[in-house]
Amino acid sequence: MKIVTILGARPQFIKAGTVSREISKNSALREIIVHTGQHYDANMSDVFFDEMNIPKPCHNLGIGGNGHGAMTGQMLEQIEMILLIERPDWVLVYGDTNSTLAGALAASKLHIKIAHIEAGLRSFNMAMPEEINRILTDRVSQLLFCPTRTAIDNLSKEGVDHWSGDPTCLLVGDVMQDGAFYYSNLAKKPSGVETQNNFVLCTIHRAENTDDIGRLTGIINALNEVSQQRQVVLPLHPRTRKILADSDLDTSQLTVISPVGYLNMIWLIKNSACIFTDSGGLQKEAFFFEKPCITMRDETEWVELVDSGVNFLAGADKEKILAAFEGVFSITKNYNQAIYGSGCASQNIVEALINY
Ligand code: UD1
Ligand code: UDP
């Protein structure tokens, strides 16, 4: 069975690190990786392939850094050409990026079966490019691999049982949980970064925060205030770096570092006191490593974390972020909940692909 996997952005490499390893264990499966090039800096791409032993992409399209339409359109055209040559049994896509949508659209037009990992997630915010990408990808997929019960319910409410194409929804668990536990023991301190006791770890990259100067100002002002009490370590996404460089915002109080590889990131998570983020993946990793998480968004797809009292939605308002931080250590938290399955998501996915 031939699988073409479409990757393009950092979180997809991290998820593929775990799933591709599982695919490679089965001699009946052959995986061809296509890298769209959406993320292209060495510390946003190569580092993950190297550290996680992800097979080198067979095709690298080099399409990154454009507007959404141009990027998605160029990917669609080039992925179609590759699929016409490779003729796979399955196209495997992850998450909700432009690379995900381009891969799913290209496959659907050629009537190639699509398997979507992280299906069924919804923010219910159609202003997010990710929400559009994930809804459209789900709609054309044959196998919908859901990480949570909520994802299954979301698809059910959208009438998945009556969709033409008769897709199969499976609750498989979260592949990031498999990866976090597998790589946990390999975590290593980033070289050249001095961390103080009880530092907090922060990431910011969402378009809704970076492209709205009011929201970005609220976030940076809040972090500056937090930095009066604790060191704030901020591995900065290139999107945010560029926008901050063009702004008047002062980040000199923060420990701003370049994006780090996954093993460094796990070290930072494990050694931090708490996490501030607008990342999807990092919200879950905070839970896996039992760190409180302040999510600087107005909503999240990972609602179970908020409902179970380990993740605090604070938006981008300075006072709300600081209020969340003030209470974060005193609230009793229960991390002993199997929200994301039993650590076998990748195995479940490979079995489902074989048995379909
Ligand atoms: C993308 C995804 C987002 C995901 C994030 C993970 C979409 C619509 N968004 O957002 O869902 O959470 O990846 O990190 O697909 N850049 C570089 N070097 C790189 C990569 C990006 O300089 O290696 C800069 C470029 O200026 C680029 C900008 O960052 O224009 C944004 O990159 P892009 O891939 O468009 O979106 P992300 O914000 O990374
Ligand atoms: N991450 C990383 N290095 C960094 C920042 C993040 O390895 O400098 C990891 C993080 O631990 C998580 C993933 O990248 O596994 C999340 O990706 P990102 O926040 O870019 O995207 P999202 O999950 O929001 O789509």
Side-chain angles (χ1 to χ4, degrees), residues 89-91 107-108 111-116 137-145 164-169 356:
D89 301 285
W90 285 98
V91 166
S108 69
H111 307 294
I112 298 169
K113 295 193 296 286
I114 303 158
H116 185 201
T137 300
D138 282 344
R139 189 60 191 84
V140 295
S141 296
Q142 280 65 50
L143 263 176
L144 294 157
F145 291 124
S164 55
D166 203 16
T168 304
C169 298
Y356 183 83

Side-chain angles (χ1 to χ4, degrees), residues 5-7 12 15-16 19-20 92-97 100 116-117:
T5 297
I6 310 292
L7 305 177
Q12 294 165 337
K15 290 162 200 167
V19 178
S20 290
L92 187 61
V93 292
Y94 290 86
D96 52 22
T97 71
T100 315
H116 185 201
I117 295 180

Side-chain angles (χ1 to χ4, degrees), residues 193-261:
V193 179
E194 292 306 322
T195 53
Q196 296 163 11
N197 273 346
N198 291 321
F199 71 88
V200 302
L201 177 63
C202 176
T203 71
I204 317 160
H205 76 275
R206 289 278 164 188
E208 74 245 36
N209 286 333
T210 55
D211 296 6
D212 179 332
I213 192 66
R215 290 181 70 93
L216 191 58
T217 303
I219 290 171
I220 297 296
N221 286 347
L223 295 175
N224 279 334
E225 200 135 326
V226 172
S227 74
Q228 306 301 311
Q229 294 173 44
R230 287 168 192 260
Q231 181 189 23
V232 177
V233 178
L234 174 59
L236 199 54
H237 191 288
R239 170 190 208 103
T240 320
R241 183 177 290 278
K242 285 176 192 165
I243 292 171
L244 282 173
D246 290 340
S247 78
D248 297 329
L249 291 169
D250 177 17
T251 55
S252 59
Q253 306 303 309
L254 314 176
T255 305
V256 177
I257 60 174
S258 298
V260 295

Side-chain angles (χ1 to χ4, degrees), residues 10-11 14 48 96 176 203 205-206 235 237 258-262 265 269 278-282 285:
R10 175 167 67 189
I14 290 167
F48 302 101
D96 52 22
M176 289 192 87
T203 71
H205 76 275
R206 289 278 164 188
H237 191 288
S258 298
V260 295
Y262 186 56
M265 192 62 183
I269 297 168
D278 58 9
S279 159
L282 194 49
E285 288 164 343

Side-chain angles (χ1 to χ4, degrees), residues 30-261:
R30 183 162 159 242
E31 185 180 34
I32 312 264
I33 294 183
V34 177
H35 188 328
T36 62
Q38 181 170 349
H39 287 175
Y40 46 88
D41 293 341
N43 59 15
M44 294 291 289
S45 174
D46 291 357
V47 65
F48 302 101
F49 285 85
D50 295 344
E51 279 185 343
M52 301 177 87
N53 286 323
I54 305 168
K56 287 272 173 282
C58 299
H59 306 270
N60 198 324
L61 311 184
I63 302 165
N66 265 325
H68 288 281
M71 185 197 296
T72 313
Q74 287 168 30
M75 288 174 186
L76 178 60
E77 187 178 1
Q78 292 206 34
I79 294 170
E80 179 178 65
M81 286 197 281
I82 291 166
L83 295 181
L84 283 168
I85 296 164
E86 299 286 1
R87 286 275 160 207
D89 301 285
W90 285 98
V91 166
L92 187 61
V93 292
Y94 290 86
D96 52 22
T97 71
N98 292 340
S99 300
T100 315
L101 178 62
L105 278 181
S108 69
K109 287 174 187 297
L110 295 172
H111 307 294
I112 298 169
K113 295 193 296 286
I114 303 158
H116 185 201
I117 295 180
E118 277 196 358
L121 295 179
R122 298 290 181 265
S123 64
F124 303 101
N125 177 356
M126 287 298 277
M128 289 177 71
E130 293 86 356
E131 184 76 351
I132 295 161
N133 291 342
R134 54 173 90 99
I135 288 174
L136 297 179
T137 300
D138 282 344
R139 189 60 191 84
V140 295
S141 296
Q142 280 65 50
L143 263 176
L144 294 157
F145 291 124
C146 297
T148 59
R149 168 61 51 194
T150 310
I152 293 268
D153 292 345
N154 287 339
L155 290 169
S156 191
K157 283 182 202 147
E158 288 175 19
V160 69
D161 295 342
H162 306 289
W163 288 357
S164 55
D166 203 16
T168 304
C169 298
L170 293 174
L171 181 59
V172 291
D174 192 297
V175 297
M176 289 192 87
Q177 174 168 272
D178 305 11
F181 295 139
Y182 182 86
Y183 290 100
S184 173
N185 290 335
L186 302 173
K188 55 179 187 199
K189 187 175 190 296
S191 62
V193 179
E194 292 306 322
T195 53
Q196 296 163 11
N197 273 346
N198 291 321
F199 71 88
V200 302
L201 177 63
C202 176
T203 71
I204 317 160
H205 76 275
R206 289 278 164 188
E208 74 245 36
N209 286 333
T210 55
D211 296 6
D212 179 332
I213 192 66
R215 290 181 70 93
L216 191 58
T217 303
I219 290 171
I220 297 296
N221 286 347
L223 295 175
N224 279 334
E225 200 135 326
V226 172
S227 74
Q228 306 301 311
Q229 294 173 44
R230 287 168 192 260
Q231 181 189 23
V232 177
V233 178
L234 174 59
L236 199 54
H237 191 288
R239 170 190 208 103
T240 320
R241 183 177 290 278
K242 285 176 192 165
I243 292 171
L244 282 173
D246 290 340
S247 78
D248 297 329
L249 291 169
D250 177 17
T251 55
S252 59
Q253 306 303 309
L254 314 176
T255 305
V256 177
I257 60 174
S258 298
V260 295

